[in-house]
Amino acid sequence: MSLSVVGHIGKGTHTIPIDVTVEAGEVLGIAGRNGVGKTTLMETIAGIVPLLSGSLSFDGVTWDDASQKVWKSPEQRRCAVVFQDLRLFPHMSVLQNVMFGLRSRGISKNEAQSTARMKLDLVSAEHLVHRKAMGLSGGEAQRVALARAIAAEPDVLLLDEPLSAIDAGSREQLRSVLADVLSAFPGVALLVSHDAKDLTSLATRTLTLG
Amino acid sequence: MLAILFVIAPLLSVIIRVPWSDFWSSLNTTAVRQSLVISIQTSLIAALLAAVLGIPLSWWLARTNSKVSRVIRTICIAPMVLPPVVAGIALLAAFGRRGVLGEQLFNLWGISLPFTKTAVVLAQVFVSMPFLILAVEAAFRQTDEGLEDAARTLGASPTRIFFSVVIPSVRPALLAGVVLAWARSFGEFGASITFAGSFPGRTQTLPMSIYEIASYDYRQALVVSVFMMFVSVAVLAGMRESWASGRTR
Amino acid sequence: MKLLPVSDTEVSPRILKVSRGTADKVFRGVVLAGAMFSVAVLGLICAFLLYRGFEIFKDFGFSFFTSSRWEAAADDGSSPAHYGVAAMLVGSIVVATIAVVLAVPFAMSVALYLEYYAPQFLKRTLVSILDLVASIPSVIWGIWGYTILMPHAMGWSKTLNHWLGWIPIFKVPVPIFERSPFIAGTLLAMMILPIITSVTREVYSQAPRDQVDAAYGLGSTKWGAIKTVVLPFGKSGLVGGTMLGLGRALGETIAVYLVLNLVFKVNFHILASVGGNVASMIATKFGEAGPYELKALMAAGLVLFLLTLGVNFLASAIVNRSKKIA
């Protein structure tokens, strides 16, 4: 299983060339200065932004090809994202947030619930289950977003600055949680960070954009 | 300050002038009770129908920005500037026995809309839906598209996103829109009297009944209209309260 | 890792074809069908009105607008039907104009008071009250106008007539002051006050605070600052709000019907008990109208529709222009 992106990505007039292949089990770190297109790369892989040229494929299946007009929508990609701004559903409880991906894929309520609790346990956030997503602190919300992404059991896990919104103290703690999660993750993982320390400790190799 | 009085004085003077002693006996007549029941029935159905038709439409309007959608938006909002009586006449032109659509309906299925309760509801929907569409579309435009993207990456279908992510985030505005539509329907007069007529027990709504009572007994008409004002003001004020508290939470 | 050369060829957005599940297709279909159905109905209704109305325009030509007679054909066929909306059209405009003339100064001062003078708690309460007043059904206004406003307004009419009777519009041929355009206009003024106020207030609230503060700083009074900064800035908002109010006043039916004596005669004596308005005429004549008269009423409705549409179009154009400048 591998993910490969060859082509140009971008929004509007700013385009960047990309040629990268990531194998399952790898964690590709993405570095680069602000505005260079790290987030756009994530959005392109997830299917929020289409490729401008070239093609994107996973495990031999083409997800997006600009010349052949092939396009798989995000919900068909099994590609979970921890967004930089998290995007937890504010009106739902923590548990409902984590269950969302499972329920969307047609898994029964009971099963989804127990899986969601397990994943919350994995990121040491099991005490938050019944809280509303809206009132969480930065670190808490970050854990929940991570749990929500891995609960969907994706093939590709995209982490966009998963440690940026957290104060230094809990940062170390969350980094070790993240390390555990990533080492147990069987699929392809991409990690965007502007912090060299995150990349050296979590990524298996690093690509610098721009 | 004086100008404020200009607005509030009418309300106060009404309350002062109402013959409170026979308030209940004035209300408790067959005609008033019948029309109140019809008003409540039709306005609730109309608000519901406006919601069912209007919410998806405003969602679509909020998410597309083409020439077509702009034309459609204008058409949707046209009834707002259409004087209600003209709206009623227009409905009759379309659905009346001799109307272009109405004739077909009657010939094909034997359905005749004018002067029925359905006609009352249709007239109310026609007049109130634009208000709902305006309110709800504005809310849809302000929703966070990032949340929808997030839901899609988690494998949710558009239908699921609409019901479990979009709708909950605009719930206050939806509620406000529906209540607004209800209030319009409840007070609707011009369109429904022309399209549905004022038949006691069948199509006569509360405003029509007030209108009829006014032709012989202004005192009673005043009482009934004050009662009606209380009802609609109470509902709207109640909504305002719950909406305000929902927002600050 | 090799980098591709930067190309700027294919940057145009692609049209994405998405395959969807059955449930989604059904849902999309339902949404689209519902939306299209309501749009189609709305569009068709307007089209039918045009279609029906034009028959009458063909039959009567321009005299539909210039004649004041509204007579069905005599049963014995001795006189043909004749329909003209001149009196009602003039009546509509006269009444609506009175309403606007009375309402605008009040609306302006309420808006200014709310935005610049009222304490916060009072402002919130009053804004809510205004919104609630705006949603009071017009039947209630009509009843109120007849039972409570009219006795007072007749007194004002008499005074006006006594002192200003030498001005043509304040003359009365017969000293009856009931159900006159003046009373109807006064009532409509109250009814349209909330909408004018809320539009005006919104524009006033966008007035550049720094300029207001600067005017303060230069030693002008609060009123001075308002006069030099806020009023010029909010002019278009006031005009837009006024037009919206005018649109409503033109289309008002039952309230006008209750407080205005419907007579098919062009009348500019606003205190006299003679008047009318297209909307209330339609409501009155509608009940006993035969098929041909019905068409004439539809034509009258069309005229009214076009008139209000024009006014509203003007209003939105003016408000939009002011938004762009702001």
Side-chain angles (χ1 to χ4, degrees):
Chain A
M1 283 205 303
S2 69
L3 174 82
S4 91
V5 192
V6 183
H8 287 87
I9 62 165
K11 280 192 256 189
T13 51
H14 178 67
T15 67
I16 6 160
I18 292 285
D19 179 2
V20 64
T21 303
V22 198
E23 298 294 328
E26 263 192 301
V27 178
L28 178 70
I30 314 271
R33 60 194 157 72
N34 283 340
V36 78
K38 301 188 296 266
T39 297
T40 307
L41 176 60
M42 293 290 177
E43 289 177 337
T44 308
I45 296 170
I48 296 165
V49 178
L51 271 173
L52 296 176
S53 74
S55 77
L56 161 67
S57 65
F58 177 78
D59 198 18
V61 181
T62 306
W63 279 358
D64 187 0
D65 191 307
S67 53
Q68 288 175 38
K69 313 269 177 219
V70 179
W71 168 259
K72 289 247 187 293
S73 61
E75 59 266 32
Q76 296 165 321
R77 292 190 185 194
R78 299 200 70 110
C79 190
V81 191
V82 174
F83 292 92
Q84 191 167 7
D85 53 355
L86 304 182
R87 303 186 187 177
L88 293 178
F89 305 119
H91 55 279
M92 295 184 193
S93 73
V94 165
L95 188 63
Q96 283 170 322
N97 261 285
V98 180
M99 281 165 67
F100 189 86
L102 295 158
R103 296 288 288 145
S104 298
R105 298 221 149 94
I107 287 160
S108 77
K109 198 168 176 176
N110 283 332
E111 204 183 322
Q113 232 169 42
S114 60
T115 313
R117 280 175 186 275
M118 216 174 70
K119 302 292 178 188
L120 280 167
D121 198 36
L122 226 59
V123 298
S124 332
E126 67 283 0
H127 57 288
L128 300 171
V129 260
H130 295 301
R131 291 268 297 277
K132 269 247 172 195
M134 215 152 98
L136 298 177
S137 74
E140 288 168 343
Q142 196 77 58
R143 281 162 204 260
V144 174
L146 184 60
R148 183 177 71 172
I150 56 173
E153 278 159 10
D155 295 328
V156 178
L157 181 60
L158 303 172
L159 307 163
D160 195 352
E161 302 277 9
L163 297 169
S164 64
I166 305 164
D167 55 277
S170 39
R171 202 174 161 125
E172 288 303 324
Q173 222 180 358
L174 196 62
R175 189 181 287 134
S176 72
V177 168
L178 203 54
D180 292 345
V181 166
L182 283 172
S183 64
F185 183 69
V188 170
L190 275 78
L191 169 73
V192 165
S193 180
H194 62 269
D195 187 340
K197 201 171 157 200
D198 290 345
L199 292 173
T200 47
S201 64
L202 295 170
T204 49
R205 68 188 164 106
T206 297
L207 167 70
T208 305
L209 292 183
Chain B
M1 208 55 221
L2 209 110
I4 305 289
L5 271 177
F6 188 74
V7 181
I8 301 173
L11 296 174
L12 291 179
S13 67
V14 165
I15 293 164
I16 292 163
R17 288 287 288 274
V18 165
W20 290 105
S21 52
D22 42 315
F23 189 78
W24 284 117
S25 62
S26 294
L27 281 182
N28 204 2
T29 65
T30 328
V32 174
R33 263 181 320 192
Q34 270 181 344
S35 57
L36 177 64
V37 170
I38 290 172
S39 261
I40 290 173
Q41 280 175 351
T42 53
S43 62
L44 285 180
I45 297 173
L48 208 71
L49 214 61
V52 169
L53 291 173
I55 291 170
L57 182 58
S58 34
W59 164 246
W60 183 77
L61 284 175
R63 276 300 129 85
T64 42
N65 219 340
S66 61
K67 263 201 182 113
V68 183
S69 73
R70 249 171 286 153
V71 170
I72 288 178
R73 182 180 300 111
T74 315
I75 295 176
C76 290
I77 296 169
M80 229 166 125
V81 303
L82 200 69
V85 178
V86 180
I89 291 259
L91 280 166
L92 206 65
F95 293 112
R97 263 305 176 81
R98 285 182 218 85
V100 185
L101 283 178
E103 206 171 356
Q104 298 299 321
L105 276 180
F106 189 74
N107 290 343
L108 288 177
W109 295 300
I111 300 171
S112 172
L113 283 178
F115 315 116
T116 60
K117 241 179 239 177
T118 321
V120 179
V121 173
L122 263 180
Q124 291 175 345
V125 171
F126 188 82
V127 171
S128 63
M129 201 160 81
F131 292 91
L132 180 125
I133 289 178
L134 271 191
V136 176
E137 193 205 330
F140 276 142
R141 274 184 189 280
Q142 282 163 14
T143 54
D144 180 2
E145 278 187 74
L147 283 183
E148 290 162 45
D149 287 339
R152 293 173 73 199
T153 61
L154 290 166
S157 63
T159 315
R160 193 181 164 78
I161 294 174
F162 183 71
F163 285 111
S164 60
V165 178
V166 179
I167 291 284
S169 67
V170 295
R171 216 170 43 199
L174 276 188
L175 215 72
V178 174
V179 173
L180 209 66
W182 172 81
R184 284 281 150 185
S185 303
F186 191 62
E188 213 298 308
F189 174 80
S192 31
I193 201 168
T194 32
F195 187 42
S198 173
F199 300 109
R202 261 202 311 146
T203 63
Q204 191 176 70
T205 59
L206 204 51
M208 294 187 213
S209 160
I210 293 174
Y211 171 74
E212 198 181 291
I213 293 169
S215 64
Y216 57 84
D217 184 353
Y218 264 93
R219 265 165 61 96
Q220 200 198 340
L222 191 64
V223 171
V224 183
S225 58
V226 165
F227 168 72
M228 193 175 162
M229 190 169 82
F230 278 156
V231 172
S232 54
V233 167
V235 170
L236 286 172
M239 173 203 79
R240 206 165 260 281
E241 276 308 301
S242 63
W243 190 43
S245 65
R247 278 230 294 203
T248 49
R249 197 176 35 191
Chain C
M1 210 159 304
K2 64 183 193 294
L3 289 178
L4 292 171
V6 177
S7 83
D8 49 10
T9 43
E10 203 186 344
V11 284
S12 60
R14 292 159 50 204
I15 294 158
L16 303 174
K17 258 203 182 151
V18 183
S19 62
R20 299 197 186 283
T22 331
D24 271 323
K25 276 184 194 147
V26 170
F27 176 68
R28 279 177 72 87
V30 169
V31 168
L32 221 67
M36 289 308 135
F37 173 75
S38 23
V39 169
V41 169
L42 288 173
L44 281 174
I45 283 171
C46 296
F48 291 147
L49 198 62
L50 278 169
Y51 170 70
R52 295 276 147 154
F54 270 113
E55 278 178 58
I56 291 291
F57 294 155
K58 256 201 325 237
D59 290 357
F60 292 104
F62 208 63
S63 79
F64 187 71
F65 296 98
T66 53
S67 162
S68 298
R69 278 166 55 216
W70 190 277
E71 287 151 10
D75 287 335
D76 54 12
S78 58
S79 68
H82 185 92
Y83 300 111
V85 287
M88 294 300 118
L89 210 54
V90 168
S92 292
I93 294 168
V94 167
V95 171
T97 310
I98 296 170
V100 165
V101 167
L102 289 177
V104 165
F106 277 109
M108 220 170 109
S109 47
V110 174
L112 280 179
Y113 176 77
L114 287 175
E115 209 46 52
Y116 292 97
Y117 293 95
Q120 200 58 34
F121 75 96
L122 197 60
K123 180 179 160 180
R124 276 186 45 191
T125 326
L126 289 174
V127 169
S128 307
I129 290 178
L130 272 176
D131 283 357
L132 290 177
V133 169
S135 66
I136 293 176
S138 40
V139 192
I140 293 171
W141 282 106
I143 299 287
W144 175 81
Y146 188 85
T147 51
I148 294 160
L149 175 71
M150 199 149 79
H152 295 287
M154 273 162 65
W156 306 334
S157 299
K158 279 175 193 154
T159 319
L160 270 174
N161 178 246
H162 184 78
W163 296 105
L164 297 170
W166 48 275
I167 303 173
I169 60 164
F170 294 121
K171 250 193 227 151
V172 274
V174 194
I176 299 172
F177 294 95
E178 260 185 10
R179 313 227 296 164
S180 68
F182 172 71
I183 295 172
T186 312
L187 180 61
L188 282 179
M190 293 179 178
M191 293 175 66
I192 62 176
L193 187 67
I195 179 127
I196 304 182
T197 308
S198 72
V199 174
T200 313
R201 193 178 65 82
E202 213 156 280
V203 178
Y204 282 167
S205 72
Q206 288 163 3
R209 279 277 158 179
D210 48 341
Q211 281 184 38
V212 179
D213 292 342
Y216 258 144
L218 292 171
S220 83
T221 58
K222 195 166 197 171
W223 170 239
I226 287 171
K227 210 166 61 181
T228 49
V229 180
V230 181
L231 289 189
F233 178 87
K235 212 162 66 186
S236 60
L238 184 64
V239 174
T242 305
M243 289 294 194
L244 280 180
L246 186 63
R248 268 201 74 179
L250 282 172
E252 184 46 51
T253 313
I254 181 162
V256 171
Y257 170 80
L258 287 168
V259 296
L260 185 57
N261 204 13
L262 191 72
V263 178
F264 283 91
K265 196 176 143 203
V266 175
N267 171 37
F268 290 103
H269 305 300
I270 61 169
L271 301 178
S273 185
V274 171
N277 117 335
V278 178
S280 64
M281 185 270 286
I282 294 174
T284 326
K285 290 285 169 189
F286 181 79
E288 64 262 25
Y292 192 62
E293 185 170 5
L294 201 60
K295 277 185 194 165
L297 288 172
M298 286 178 187
L302 183 61
V303 172
L304 180 58
F305 176 43
L306 294 178
L307 188 64
T308 47
L309 203 65
V311 168
N312 275 284
F313 183 72
L314 219 66
S316 63
I318 291 168
V319 172
N320 276 343
R321 205 188 56 188
S322 81
K323 266 192 198 145
K324 256 176 218 149
I325 295 166

